[in-house]
CSV table of all heavy atoms in Angstrom, one decimal:
chain,number,residue,atom,x,y,z
S,94,TYR,N,-98.2,-67.1,3.1
S,94,TYR,CA,-98.0,-68.1,4.0
S,94,TYR,C,-97.3,-67.5,5.3
S,94,TYR,O,-96.4,-66.7,5.2
S,94,TYR,CB,-97.1,-69.2,3.5
S,94,TYR,CG,-97.6,-69.9,2.3
S,94,TYR,CD1,-97.3,-69.5,1.0
S,94,TYR,CD2,-98.4,-71.1,2.4
S,94,TYR,CE1,-97.8,-70.1,-0.1
S,94,TYR,CE2,-98.9,-71.8,1.3
S,94,TYR,CZ,-98.5,-71.2,0.1
S,94,TYR,OH,-99.0,-71.9,-1.1
S,95,CYS,N,-97.8,-68.0,6.5
S,95,CYS,CA,-97.0,-67.7,7.7
S,95,CYS,C,-96.2,-69.0,8.0
S,95,CYS,O,-96.7,-70.1,7.8
S,95,CYS,CB,-97.8,-67.2,8.8
S,95,CYS,SG,-99.2,-68.3,9.3
S,96,ALA,N,-95.1,-68.7,8.7
S,96,ALA,CA,-94.2,-69.9,9.0
S,96,ALA,C,-93.6,-69.6,10.3
S,96,ALA,O,-93.3,-68.5,10.7
S,96,ALA,CB,-93.1,-70.0,7.9
S,97,ALA,N,-93.2,-70.7,11.0
S,97,ALA,CA,-92.6,-70.5,12.3
S,97,ALA,C,-91.3,-71.3,12.3
S,97,ALA,O,-91.1,-72.4,11.8
S,97,ALA,CB,-93.5,-71.0,13.4
S,98,ARG,N,-90.3,-70.8,13.1
S,98,ARG,CA,-89.0,-71.4,13.2
S,98,ARG,C,-88.6,-71.5,14.6
S,98,ARG,O,-88.6,-70.5,15.3
S,98,ARG,CB,-87.9,-70.6,12.4
S,98,ARG,CG,-86.6,-71.2,12.3
S,98,ARG,CD,-85.6,-70.3,11.7
S,98,ARG,NE,-84.3,-71.0,11.5
S,98,ARG,CZ,-83.4,-71.0,12.3
S,98,ARG,NH1,-83.5,-70.5,13.6
S,98,ARG,NH2,-82.2,-71.6,12.1
S,99,ILE,N,-88.2,-72.7,15.1
S,99,ILE,CA,-87.7,-72.9,16.4
S,99,ILE,C,-86.4,-72.1,16.5
S,99,ILE,O,-85.6,-72.0,15.5
S,99,ILE,CB,-87.4,-74.3,16.6
S,99,ILE,CG1,-88.7,-75.2,16.5
S,99,ILE,CG2,-86.8,-74.6,18.0
S,99,ILE,CD1,-88.5,-76.6,16.5
S,100,ASN,N,-86.2,-71.4,17.6
S,100,ASN,CA,-85.0,-70.6,17.8
S,100,ASN,C,-83.8,-71.4,18.1
S,100,ASN,O,-83.3,-71.5,19.2
S,100,ASN,CB,-85.3,-69.5,18.8
S,100,ASN,CG,-86.2,-68.5,18.4
S,100,ASN,OD1,-86.1,-68.1,17.2
S,100,ASN,ND2,-87.0,-67.9,19.2
S,101,TYR,N,-83.3,-72.1,17.1
S,101,TYR,CA,-82.0,-72.8,17.2
S,101,TYR,C,-80.9,-71.8,17.4
S,101,TYR,O,-80.9,-70.7,17.1
S,101,TYR,CB,-81.7,-73.7,15.9
S,101,TYR,CG,-82.8,-74.5,15.5
S,101,TYR,CD1,-83.6,-74.2,14.4
S,101,TYR,CD2,-83.0,-75.7,16.1
S,101,TYR,CE1,-84.6,-75.1,13.9
S,101,TYR,CE2,-84.1,-76.6,15.7
S,101,TYR,CZ,-84.8,-76.2,14.6
S,101,TYR,OH,-85.8,-77.1,14.2
S,102,ILE,N,-79.8,-72.4,17.9
S,102,ILE,CA,-78.6,-71.6,18.1
S,102,ILE,C,-77.9,-71.3,16.8
S,102,ILE,O,-77.9,-72.2,15.9
S,102,ILE,CB,-77.5,-72.3,19.0
S,102,ILE,CG1,-78.2,-72.4,20.4
S,102,ILE,CG2,-76.2,-71.6,19.0
S,102,ILE,CD1,-77.3,-73.2,21.4
S,103,GLY,N,-77.5,-70.1,16.5
S,103,GLY,CA,-76.8,-69.7,15.3
S,103,GLY,C,-77.7,-68.9,14.4
S,103,GLY,O,-78.9,-68.9,14.5
S,104,SER,N,-77.0,-68.2,13.6
S,104,SER,CA,-77.7,-67.2,12.7
S,104,SER,C,-78.2,-67.9,11.4
S,104,SER,O,-77.7,-69.0,11.0
S,104,SER,CB,-76.8,-66.0,12.3
S,104,SER,OG,-75.7,-66.4,11.6
S,105,TYR,N,-79.1,-67.3,10.7
S,105,TYR,CA,-79.6,-67.9,9.5
S,105,TYR,C,-80.2,-66.8,8.6
S,105,TYR,O,-80.4,-65.7,9.0
S,105,TYR,CB,-80.7,-68.9,9.8
S,105,TYR,CG,-81.9,-68.3,10.5
S,105,TYR,CD1,-83.1,-67.9,9.9
S,105,TYR,CD2,-81.8,-68.1,11.9
S,105,TYR,CE1,-84.1,-67.3,10.6
S,105,TYR,CE2,-82.9,-67.6,12.6
S,105,TYR,CZ,-84.0,-67.1,11.9
S,105,TYR,OH,-85.0,-66.5,12.6
S,106,TYR,N,-80.4,-67.1,7.3
S,106,TYR,CA,-81.0,-66.1,6.5
S,106,TYR,C,-82.5,-66.2,6.6
S,106,TYR,O,-83.1,-67.3,6.3
S,106,TYR,CB,-80.6,-66.3,5.1
S,106,TYR,CG,-81.3,-65.4,4.1
S,106,TYR,CD1,-81.4,-64.1,4.3
S,106,TYR,CD2,-82.0,-65.9,2.9
S,106,TYR,CE1,-82.1,-63.2,3.4
S,106,TYR,CE2,-82.7,-65.1,2.1
S,106,TYR,CZ,-82.7,-63.7,2.3
S,106,TYR,OH,-83.5,-62.9,1.5
S,107,TRP,N,-83.2,-65.2,7.1
S,107,TRP,CA,-84.6,-65.2,7.4
S,107,TRP,C,-85.5,-65.6,6.2
S,107,TRP,O,-86.6,-66.0,6.3
S,107,TRP,CB,-85.0,-63.9,8.1
S,107,TRP,CG,-85.0,-62.8,7.1
S,107,TRP,CD1,-84.0,-62.0,6.8
S,107,TRP,CD2,-86.1,-62.3,6.2
S,107,TRP,NE1,-84.4,-61.0,5.8
S,107,TRP,CE2,-85.7,-61.2,5.5
S,107,TRP,CE3,-87.4,-62.7,6.1
S,107,TRP,CZ2,-86.5,-60.6,4.6
S,107,TRP,CZ3,-88.3,-62.1,5.3
S,107,TRP,CH2,-87.8,-61.0,4.5
S,108,GLY,N,-85.0,-65.1,5.0
S,108,GLY,CA,-85.8,-65.2,3.8
S,108,GLY,C,-85.7,-66.6,3.1
S,108,GLY,O,-86.2,-66.8,2.0
S,109,ASP,N,-85.0,-67.5,3.7
S,109,ASP,CA,-84.8,-68.9,3.1
S,109,ASP,C,-85.9,-69.7,3.7
S,109,ASP,O,-85.9,-70.1,4.9
S,109,ASP,CB,-83.5,-69.5,3.5
S,109,ASP,CG,-83.3,-70.8,2.9
S,109,ASP,OD1,-84.2,-71.4,2.3
S,109,ASP,OD2,-82.1,-71.4,3.0
S,110,HIS,N,-86.9,-70.2,2.9
S,110,HIS,CA,-88.0,-70.9,3.4
S,110,HIS,C,-87.7,-72.2,3.9
S,110,HIS,O,-88.4,-72.8,4.8
S,110,HIS,CB,-89.1,-71.0,2.3
S,110,HIS,CG,-88.7,-71.7,1.1
S,110,HIS,ND1,-88.8,-73.1,0.9
S,110,HIS,CD2,-88.2,-71.3,-0.1
S,110,HIS,CE1,-88.4,-73.5,-0.3
S,110,HIS,NE2,-88.0,-72.4,-0.8
S,111,HIS,N,-86.5,-72.8,3.5
S,111,HIS,CA,-86.1,-74.0,4.1
S,111,HIS,C,-85.8,-74.0,5.6
S,111,HIS,O,-85.7,-75.0,6.2
S,111,HIS,CB,-84.8,-74.6,3.3
S,111,HIS,CG,-85.1,-74.8,1.9
S,111,HIS,ND1,-84.7,-73.9,0.9
S,111,HIS,CD2,-85.7,-75.8,1.2
S,111,HIS,CE1,-85.1,-74.3,-0.3
S,111,HIS,NE2,-85.7,-75.5,-0.1
S,112,GLU,N,-85.6,-72.8,6.1
S,112,GLU,CA,-85.2,-72.6,7.5
S,112,GLU,C,-86.4,-72.8,8.5
S,112,GLU,O,-86.2,-72.9,9.6
S,112,GLU,CB,-84.6,-71.2,7.7
S,112,GLU,CG,-83.3,-71.0,7.1
S,112,GLU,CD,-82.1,-71.6,7.9
S,112,GLU,OE1,-82.4,-72.1,9.0
S,112,GLU,OE2,-81.0,-71.7,7.3
S,113,TYR,N,-87.5,-72.9,7.9
S,113,TYR,CA,-88.8,-72.8,8.8
S,113,TYR,C,-89.3,-74.2,9.1
S,113,TYR,O,-89.3,-75.1,8.1
S,113,TYR,CB,-89.8,-71.9,8.2
S,113,TYR,CG,-89.3,-70.5,8.3
S,113,TYR,CD1,-88.4,-70.0,7.3
S,113,TYR,CD2,-89.6,-69.6,9.3
S,113,TYR,CE1,-87.8,-68.7,7.4
S,113,TYR,CE2,-89.1,-68.4,9.5
S,113,TYR,CZ,-88.2,-67.9,8.5
S,113,TYR,OH,-87.6,-66.7,8.6
S,114,ASP,N,-89.8,-74.4,10.3
S,114,ASP,CA,-90.3,-75.7,10.7
S,114,ASP,C,-91.7,-76.0,10.5
S,114,ASP,O,-92.1,-77.2,10.3
S,114,ASP,CB,-89.9,-75.9,12.2
S,114,ASP,CG,-88.5,-75.7,12.5
S,114,ASP,OD1,-87.7,-76.6,12.0
S,114,ASP,OD2,-88.1,-74.7,13.1
S,115,TYR,N,-92.5,-75.0,10.6
S,115,TYR,CA,-94.0,-75.1,10.5
S,115,TYR,C,-94.6,-74.1,9.6
S,115,TYR,O,-94.1,-72.9,9.6
S,115,TYR,CB,-94.6,-75.0,11.9
S,115,TYR,CG,-94.0,-75.9,12.9
S,115,TYR,CD1,-93.2,-75.4,13.9
S,115,TYR,CD2,-94.3,-77.2,13.0
S,115,TYR,CE1,-92.6,-76.3,14.9
S,115,TYR,CE2,-93.7,-78.1,13.9
S,115,TYR,CZ,-92.9,-77.6,14.8
S,115,TYR,OH,-92.4,-78.4,15.7
S,116,TRP,N,-95.7,-74.5,8.9
S,116,TRP,CA,-96.2,-73.6,7.9
S,116,TRP,C,-97.7,-73.6,8.0
S,116,TRP,O,-98.4,-74.7,8.3
S,116,TRP,CB,-95.9,-74.1,6.5
S,116,TRP,CG,-94.5,-73.9,6.1
S,116,TRP,CD1,-93.4,-74.7,6.4
S,116,TRP,CD2,-93.9,-72.7,5.4
S,116,TRP,NE1,-92.2,-74.1,6.0
S,116,TRP,CE2,-92.5,-72.9,5.4
S,116,TRP,CE3,-94.5,-71.5,5.0
S,116,TRP,CZ2,-91.7,-72.0,4.7
S,116,TRP,CZ3,-93.7,-70.6,4.3
S,116,TRP,CH2,-92.3,-70.8,4.2
S,117,GLY,N,-98.3,-72.4,7.8
S,117,GLY,CA,-99.8,-72.4,7.6
S,117,GLY,C,-100.1,-72.8,6.2
S,117,GLY,O,-99.3,-73.0,5.4
S,118,GLN,N,-101.5,-72.7,5.9
S,118,GLN,CA,-102.0,-73.3,4.7
S,118,GLN,C,-102.0,-72.3,3.5
S,118,GLN,O,-102.2,-72.6,2.4
S,118,GLN,CB,-103.4,-73.8,4.8
S,118,GLN,CG,-104.5,-72.8,4.8
S,118,GLN,CD,-104.6,-71.9,6.0
S,118,GLN,OE1,-103.7,-72.0,6.9
S,118,GLN,NE2,-105.6,-71.1,6.0
S,119,GLY,N,-101.8,-71.0,3.8
S,119,GLY,CA,-101.7,-70.0,2.8
S,119,GLY,C,-103.0,-69.3,2.6
S,119,GLY,O,-104.2,-69.9,2.8
Side-chain angles (χ1 to χ4, degrees):
Y94 300 88
C95 58
R98 185 186 187 275
I99 298 168
N100 287 325
Y101 305 106
I102 294 173
S104 61
Y105 60 98
Y106 174 50
W107 70 273
D109 181 354
H110 61 89
H111 298 100
E112 291 283 351
Y113 293 83
D114 302 293
Y115 305 105
W116 289 86
Q118 83 287 6

